[in-house]
Amino acid sequence: MSAVIAAKVGIRLRTPHSAPDWFDARSELGRGYRHLPDASLYLLAAARDAGLVIQDADRDRWGVAVASETGSCRLHDEIDESVVTGAAHLISPTLAPHFAHNLLASRLAMEYHITGMCLSVHTPVSAGLDALSLASTAIEAGRVSRVVVGATEAPRRDGSERPEGAIVFTLQARDHGDSAGGPVIDVLRPHPTDLAHTLDAVHTGGPLVVVGADRAAADMLTSASEFDVRFVRANGALSTLGPVAQLLIGSRPYGSVVAVSDSAAVVATVRAHNDSRNHPHSTNTQHMEDECLSRR
Amino acid sequence: MSCVGTGMSAHRAALANPRSAVASRVDDAYAFVADPLYALAIDGDRAHTTTASALADLAVGEALDDAGFAGRTAAMDTIEVIMASSVADARATELARTSGKPKPSNDFAVTDTVRRRHGLRGRHRYELSNACSGSGYAISLGCDLIAAGRADVVVAGGAESYSRVTAAAFNAMSALSKSGISRPFDRNRDGVVLGEGAAAVVIESAAHARERGAVPYAAVAGSGWSCDAYHSMAPEPTGTQVVRAMREALRRAATDPRDIGCVIPHGTGTPRNDVIESASLAAVFADIHADVPIFSLKAMIGHLAGGSAAASIVVAAMGLRDGGLPGNLPVAEPDPDCAVCVPTEPIDLRGRSVMVNAYAAGGANISVVLGAAG
């Protein structure tokens, strides 16, 4: 997959240290956002954090690619509970369209009038890296020049613990006029049996974060290499895009994130460009560091 | 598959003798909504309990068989999978909720179900939603991967099963047809007839198809994407982005509008969609738009949501291989605000191309141009 550059990063994550009222939509976003699911609000707040500015003339050349596994599922739970208890008349017609999972990405596109493309990706375990990968493919195919890539998650009503919040960053082609200097991201899809060999070739140092349902791939890479392997149990799209964002904003812009699931593997490597003057900026870096450390 | 049957033969026969897609009340004991209306694809004991994964499994199985991959175990190692569905296996979670059984770990099980059921072990596995245009994007992305040299063979498509959540949301939005009859472009159309179903295609490069002696249905000549960025449900009234997607598809396909022998529209039967799409077709096809035949598929099979774009592409491919499509179901009272040509006579596609349009809530638009296999 062709290399692209992350130019801006925005983050809104609940961390183990967050207060119960850690996210206040009104203060984050202002008026006009009442009838949106939490995952949509997190995504919009992360985009604000990234400081996206899109010129009118460029809107057709920008796209959105958002990953989520449970972002809209809480609304499903609420709608279905209303239906089976005979309270369907209470379902808000304003909130109802958001049962469609793609509305997370569409609402972000609406916020910034992004008209080039809008993709919603939900592949279990690898959705975050898949959004990155498909955004790169779209840029390479000439469909758009830049893509706002994001992941957002909110818990279902079943009480299961999940990372909660959103991450957003922007991608553009390496040869784009104003892109020189930011970290470079490459996405590869080796056959799982070639994973160690592929990482030998592409991993340029720094942490190697392995995301999966179990530790098998991480243990294999630990025994087969000298890499600094860290395991993250797959639990939504933030599991993969979170570590990527951490690499982008961290003091060491080197590392790889690997998603392994269902006999398939995706590898995203992050490495510094020779000139790091345009290093991505986030106003919420500490939250990201806390979140990633807590889940090792 | 759709409410008219399972398989290409069933659909070829049904479209040749068209009848209106009709939604019926679903016998879901927990669906306490005003109009739990669907055109179900599965009846009998499994009515309304089938999942999108199960429907996708059937469609992909037929696509692989038809493409000559049945029993070719070694070939399965390099077949990629991209599937789309608006709510994926939400139905499995709904059934678990009312039965007290454990809920599935993830609603998005369509792609992995297809991979496991058919032993597909390619390196690319994606599950999209993108609502009612999702399977168009799945097929278009598959083509982009092949064009970039990163895939040899991709199976792509989409599926949608009955969902109580979907029915309730459409009721809340007053978007369902109260009459239960799918009537795109008719003055008396009154909304969407949701349909269960699935459709899938096998895509490969022309060279790869030649090498293995496959007989292709059609060529995917090009596709255009755009996003309304306008409203969570309503289409953008000027159709600016819908027009841009059609023009981009024609540009990428290097196809002149005069070479389009038929358009399979999004044509959902909602008052606004059909007017905006008609006006957008007029903008793209200009002075010839009144002569470009429309094949109004949703009038006959309903709206398959995540599977609808793939269903349109399958029908387009079938028509291109057959040299034509049957005539449409008559539009009882054509809407004067929908200036489109919906012929009841057969549509000749010899030497012509077909455009497929698909749009989604939230404004994810796609147009795909298919031509005869070279």
Side-chain angles (χ1 to χ4, degrees):
Chain A
M1 196 66 65
S2 63
V4 289
I5 293 180
K8 292 179 184 295
V9 179
I11 295 161
R12 278 294 176 274
L13 289 177
R14 180 177 60 81
T15 75
H17 315 296
S18 297
D21 57 349
W22 69 280
F23 184 85
D24 179 57
R26 181 69 178 272
S27 63
E28 293 263 3
L29 298 167
R31 291 174 178 272
Y33 297 88
R34 274 183 61 208
H35 294 289
L36 291 176
D38 286 349
S40 194
L41 295 169
Y42 300 153
L43 194 62
L44 294 174
R48 289 260 180 106
D49 185 42
L52 291 180
V53 177
I54 298 167
Q55 305 297 326
D56 280 349
D58 296 336
R59 300 193 194 289
D60 287 349
R61 297 300 301 164
W62 275 81
V64 169
V66 171
S68 188
E69 289 188 22
T70 62
S72 305
C73 291
R74 186 181 184 89
L75 182 58
H76 283 214
D77 296 340
E78 291 168 354
I79 288 175
D80 204 31
E81 186 173 297
S82 296
V83 174
V84 301
T85 57
H89 59 285
L90 298 178
I91 298 169
S92 158
T94 313
L95 189 59
H98 296 270
F99 85 97
H101 297 281
N102 65 305
L103 260 289
L104 298 170
S106 293
R107 187 61 185 78
L108 181 60
M110 286 164 55
E111 186 77 359
Y112 291 93
H113 305 289
I114 292 171
T115 52
M117 70 169 209
C118 192
L119 278 179
S120 298
V121 191
H122 311 283
T123 329
V125 180
S126 62
L129 299 190
D130 288 346
L132 192 56
S133 170
L134 293 174
S136 301
T137 299
I139 291 170
E140 191 179 14
R143 295 189 180 280
V144 288
S145 300
R146 306 187 200 199
V147 180
V148 182
V149 174
T152 185
E153 297 289 5
R156 299 196 75 133
R157 295 190 75 182
D158 59 8
S160 56
E161 276 293 311
R162 281 211 176 241
E164 183 176 2
I167 292 167
V168 159
F169 52 88
T170 60
L171 296 181
Q172 58 200 52
R174 280 190 79 184
D175 57 2
H176 201 279
D178 62 353
S179 65
V184 176
I185 299 176
D186 291 281
V187 184
L188 302 165
R189 292 181 176 271
H191 193 279
T193 55
D194 295 333
L195 186 55
H197 177 71
T198 299
L199 287 166
D200 271 339
V202 303
H203 184 59
T204 53
L208 172 59
V209 181
V210 179
V211 184
D214 57 49
R215 302 188 60 97
D219 290 345
M220 182 273 290
L221 289 169
T222 301
S223 61
S225 69
E226 301 295 317
F227 300 143
D228 173 17
V229 178
R230 304 168 189 189
F231 171 67
V232 171
R233 193 169 302 282
N235 197 2
L238 294 168
S239 302
T240 49
L241 220 56
V244 170
Q246 185 188 25
L247 292 171
L248 291 173
I249 64 176
S251 54
R252 298 168 300 171
Y254 290 98
S256 301
V257 180
V258 182
V260 182
S261 177
D262 202 66
S263 307
V266 192
V267 177
T269 64
V270 176
R271 56 194 164 85
H273 191 278
N274 290 338
D275 178 351
S276 60
R277 283 174 299 181
N278 292 340
H279 196 59
H281 170 74
S282 169
T283 57
N284 204 11
T285 305
Q286 190 57 48
H287 284 186
M288 187 70 232
E289 296 282 356
D290 290 348
E291 169 65 10
C292 291
L293 285 168
S294 71
R295 288 166 48 215
R296 274 179 200 159
Chain B
M1 65 186 309
S2 72
C3 62
V4 306
T6 300
M8 291 289 278
S9 299
H11 281 79
R12 189 179 267 112
L15 299 184
N17 297 285
R19 298 168 62 182
S20 284
V22 177
S24 305
R25 291 185 73 83
V26 177
D27 187 25
D28 173 0
Y30 297 93
F32 298 122
V33 294
D35 296 305
L37 297 172
Y38 255 80
L40 297 179
I42 303 284
D43 53 17
D45 293 345
R46 291 187 299 134
H48 75 72
T49 61
T50 306
T51 61
S53 289
L55 297 174
D57 171 25
L58 293 170
V60 167
E62 185 180 12
L64 290 168
D65 285 355
D66 201 17
F69 284 105
R72 293 184 57 195
T73 308
M76 301 305 188
D77 284 343
T78 58
I79 296 181
E80 326 293 347
V81 181
I82 313 176
M83 297 301 291
S85 180
S86 287
V87 296
D89 282 356
R91 185 61 184 142
T93 298
E94 292 168 11
L95 290 166
R97 185 176 288 121
T98 47
S99 69
K101 291 179 180 171
K103 291 175 187 166
S105 59
N106 197 315
D107 285 1
F108 297 104
V110 180
T111 293
D112 284 348
T113 298
V114 163
R115 280 167 53 90
R116 288 172 192 154
R117 287 277 297 165
H118 299 283
L120 307 177
R121 295 175 295 272
R123 292 170 297 131
H124 295 266
R125 91 184 229 285
Y126 303 106
E127 182 143 341
L128 310 178
S129 58
N130 270 37
C132 307
S133 58
S135 50
Y137 277 88
I139 291 168
S140 179
L141 280 163
C143 293
D144 284 355
L145 289 175
I146 291 168
R150 279 193 284 280
D152 291 326
V153 183
V154 178
V155 62
E160 209 73 49
S161 69
Y162 163 73
S163 157
R164 199 161 52 221
V165 168
T166 303
F170 270 78
N171 268 266
M173 296 183 284
S174 302
L176 283 183
S177 164
K178 287 276 186 185
S179 68
I181 303 171
S182 184
R183 287 178 289 194
F185 307 110
D186 190 301
R187 184 201 298 265
N188 297 313
R189 67 190 182 281
D190 63 348
V192 171
V193 167
L194 291 173
E196 280 189 325
V201 294
V202 173
I203 321 163
E204 59 191 319
S205 70
H208 193 273
R210 264 196 309 274
E211 193 175 300
R212 68 183 189 90
V215 181
Y217 275 82
V220 184
S223 59
W225 304 358
S226 72
C227 175
D228 281 357
Y230 173 72
H231 190 270
S232 56
M233 198 62 195
E236 194 277 317
T238 69
T240 301
Q241 293 300 329
V242 164
V243 167
R244 198 170 71 80
M246 282 193 262
R247 288 182 171 150
E248 177 70 359
L250 289 165
R251 186 189 70 77
R252 285 177 171 266
T255 299
D256 189 276
R258 292 178 188 281
D259 294 328
I260 297 294
C262 172
V263 174
I264 303 183
H266 189 54
T268 54
T270 63
R272 276 186 289 196
N273 174 86
D274 293 2
V275 169
I276 293 167
E277 189 172 12
S278 299
S280 300
L281 286 163
V284 171
F285 290 95
D287 56 324
I288 60 166
H289 88 273
D291 300 321
V292 177
I294 296 293
F295 188 71
S296 188
L297 181 62
K298 289 186 180 69
M300 296 168 268
I301 69 170
H303 189 1
L304 272 52
S308 67
S312 296
I313 287 169
V314 166
V315 169
M318 186 172 74
L320 286 163
R321 177 185 267 190
D322 294 350
L325 284 167
N328 282 280
L329 199 65
V331 178
E333 290 188 50
D335 184 345
D337 290 333
C338 298
V340 289
C341 164
V342 190
T344 53
E345 300 79 28
I347 300 168
D348 187 356
L349 291 176
R350 288 172 297 179
R352 312 302 298 277
S353 297
V354 178
M355 175 183 279
V356 169
N357 291 338
Y359 311 131
N365 312 307
I366 187 167
S367 292
V368 181
V369 173
L370 295 98

